């Protein structure tokens, strides 16, 4: 055993603690600001950068010691897959339903903010990492991860609409959206499960949990529903 192993473990623990506090404070401030002044232009300008500042470190510090290239390839391919699904969805309405993105998430490429693809990766990575520790097969892990990501979207949708992330043509969010979320998440989750990467860092799940609390608190506080 390397002599500096305990020191490295302690450093990782301190880093994770700092990251957890950092994320908790940022999201708590975000909740307070939105509840106090939902139309603050600064909030809309900062949103895509906020997702990158919290999500990118989580992805990087979770790079495993084994199969690094496969992990990074999974992240890139998954981001491209999510963006392709979103672009096809916005252009045709055939994937998620008829919708369009607002300005809150930043610059668009073919009608879709690039940050949305990255956030798909973080969401699926967070759930996939947690379920990778379960004593069940890859299919079980992928299904659980995809189902959790779909529930996450159900919690998020009304708040995202209220904050101008995107808007739907219909008054109610179509069931097609959730079916597509499940299928896209399932593809990404299944690919991750087949990597058989040892999950050692919960940073992505910390981000996902913080986002889930953020959307849940705003949804309840603002009295929002799916229709």
């Amino acid at each position: 055993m390397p002599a500096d192993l305990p020191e490295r473990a302690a450093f990782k623990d301190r880093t994770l603690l700092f990251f957890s506090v950092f994320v908790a404070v940022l999201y708590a401030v975000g909740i307070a600001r939105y509840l106090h002044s939902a139309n603050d232009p600064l909030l809309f300008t900062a949103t895509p950068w906020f997702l990158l500042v919290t999500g990118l470190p989580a992805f990087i510090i979770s790079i495993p010691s084994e199969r690094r290239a496969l992990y990074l390839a999974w992240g890139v391919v998954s981001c491209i897959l999510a963006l392709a699904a979103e672009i096809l969805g916005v252009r045709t309405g055939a994937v998620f339903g008829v919708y369009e993105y607002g300005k809150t998430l930043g610059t668009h490429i073919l009608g879709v903010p690039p940050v949305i693809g990255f956030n798909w990766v973080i969401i699926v990575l967070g759930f996939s990492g947690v379920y990778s520790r379960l004593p069940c097969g890859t299919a079980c892990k992928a299904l659980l991860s995809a189902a959790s990501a779909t529930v996450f979207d159900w919690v998020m949708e009304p708040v995202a609409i209220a904050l101008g992330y995107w808007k739907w043509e219909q008054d109610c969010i179509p069931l097609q959206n959730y079916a597509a979320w499940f299928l896209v998440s399932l593809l990404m989750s299944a690919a991750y499960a087949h990597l058989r990467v040892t999950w050692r860092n919960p940073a992505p799940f910390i981000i996902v949990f913080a986002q889930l609390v953020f959307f849940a608190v705003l949804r309840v506080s603002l009295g929002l529903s799916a229709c």
Side-chain angles (χ1 to χ4, degrees):
M1 178 182 296
D4 63 342
L5 189 58
E7 294 182 7
R8 280 187 284 174
F11 175 76
K12 288 181 179 179
D13 290 342
R14 289 194 299 269
T15 301
L16 185 61
L17 177 61
F18 173 80
F19 180 78
S20 301
V21 173
F22 173 70
V23 169
V25 169
L26 282 183
Y27 275 92
V29 170
I31 291 172
R33 289 296 297 165
Y34 273 116
L35 290 177
H36 179 263
S37 180
N39 296 318
D40 187 345
L42 180 60
L43 292 174
F44 298 107
T45 302
T47 297
W49 299 105
F50 184 87
L51 293 174
L52 287 174
V53 165
T54 55
L56 194 57
F59 182 82
I60 291 173
I61 64 179
S62 297
I63 296 175
S65 56
E66 78 284 2
R67 303 186 182 182
R68 293 182 180 181
L70 287 175
Y71 173 88
L72 294 173
W74 172 85
V76 172
V77 172
S78 294
C79 186
I80 293 172
L81 171 65
L83 281 175
E86 293 279 358
I87 290 170
L88 185 62
V90 167
R91 293 281 181 164
T92 68
V95 181
F96 302 95
V98 181
Y99 70 109
E100 64 179 6
Y101 279 96
K103 298 180 179 179
T104 306
L105 294 175
T107 304
H108 294 182
I109 295 178
L110 299 177
V112 178
V115 73
I116 202 72
F118 177 68
N119 205 53
W120 267 87
V121 171
I122 295 300
I123 292 168
V124 172
L125 178 60
F127 287 122
S128 293
V130 169
Y131 293 128
S132 69
R133 306 189 74 175
L134 293 180
C136 62
T138 55
C140 170
K141 295 171 184 176
L143 287 168
L144 287 171
S145 178
S148 298
T150 305
V151 171
F152 176 96
D153 181 59
W154 178 81
V155 175
M156 171 181 66
E157 281 289 343
V159 182
I161 295 168
L163 299 183
Y165 290 10
W166 52 77
K167 61 180 179 181
W168 294 93
E169 181 183 62
Q170 304 175 20
D171 292 333
C172 290
I173 301 160
L175 292 177
Q176 176 186 349
N177 168 66
Y178 301 114
W181 254 83
F182 180 81
L183 290 175
V184 175
S185 299
L186 183 62
L187 288 173
M188 297 167 64
S189 301
Y192 182 88
H194 278 90
L195 292 180
R196 300 186 184 280
V197 172
T198 303
W199 188 71
R200 294 191 179 95
N201 198 310
F205 182 73
I206 291 171
I207 295 292
V208 175
F209 183 75
Q211 289 187 8
L212 187 61
V213 170
F214 173 84
F215 289 120
V217 169
L218 289 182
R219 179 168 176 167
V220 172
S221 300
L222 300 176
L224 300 173
S225 65
C227 292

